[in-house]
Amino acid sequence: MNYKSKKFFGIISLLLLPLWLGAQVPQNDEEEIKQLREIVDRQVDNYTNVLKLEDWQVFYLDSILTHDFEEMRLELKELRDAKISNNDAYSRAQDKWAEQIYNSLQGVFNEEQWAKYLKTGAARDKKARDKRAAKRK
């Protein structure tokens, strides 16, 4: 996993950790959305450079990440607002949207790009999601 990917996942984790844990988030929705947009922009730039994406792929990548991260943010916010304290509920929501992104990107990247994407940590993350899903059953 390269430095930029580690940094991205670290930032996402830190941004969403309070939501996952059901803690109060000291910022408003506008600030969360702005931070999320910055993270999406950085990730799109990273994948564009690493995977040598074409313009149409950049458009789809940006659209997928923007939509799915926002939906994940809203779902985690609903859990937090409902004062759900079960960490598994937050983990399930995060895994659901990470899986959605994974599946969506498979249709956007060509075989070579997909192989590189998997090497950036996506394969390891998928394996961990699958392991958690199996454990829940």
Side-chain angles (χ1 to χ4, degrees):
M1 181 179 224
N2 67 28
Y3 173 74
K4 287 183 180 181
S5 294
K6 287 180 185 177
K7 185 177 175 183
F8 166 73
F9 289 113
I11 291 170
I12 285 288
S13 296
L14 289 175
L15 175 67
L16 298 175
L17 185 62
L19 293 174
W20 297 329
L21 299 178
Q24 291 296 322
V25 178
Q27 52 195 6
N28 62 35
D29 282 346
E30 267 184 41
E31 291 170 357
E32 277 184 11
I33 292 168
K34 182 179 176 187
Q35 285 182 338
L36 205 54
R37 181 72 248 167
E38 291 170 1
I39 290 168
V40 167
D41 288 345
R42 280 194 297 267
Q43 193 58 35
V44 168
D45 289 343
N46 178 40
Y47 284 143
T48 299
N49 294 329
V50 171
L51 303 177
K52 310 287 188 252
L53 300 179
E54 297 180 29
D55 290 341
W56 70 268
Q57 292 173 306
V58 173
F59 172 79
Y60 279 110
L61 175 64
D62 182 76
S63 298
I64 290 165
L65 293 180
T66 298
H67 174 268
D68 291 352
F69 279 152
E70 176 61 12
E71 291 298 316
M72 180 173 60
R73 184 189 74 80
L74 292 173
E75 188 168 336
L76 294 172
K77 184 178 184 306
E78 285 177 16
L79 291 171
R80 185 189 72 220
D81 291 347
K83 303 203 184 302
I84 304 293
S85 60
N86 180 351
N87 290 340
D88 192 49
Y90 293 89
S91 178
R92 252 191 324 271
Q94 178 191 14
D95 285 351
K96 175 180 108 177
W97 289 105
E99 186 69 16
Q100 175 68 30
I101 291 168
Y102 178 89
N103 291 330
S104 296
L105 294 182
Q106 193 168 11
V108 173
F109 299 153
N110 65 33
E111 288 181 31
E112 180 183 328
Q113 292 165 333
W114 183 250
K116 282 184 183 179
Y117 171 71
L118 292 176
K119 288 180 184 177
T120 66
R124 185 192 70 244
D125 294 341
K126 169 72 170 147
K127 185 177 179 180
R129 280 193 310 277
D130 290 347
K131 185 177 178 180
R132 284 190 297 271
K135 190 176 179 181
R136 286 183 196 116
K137 291 182 179 183

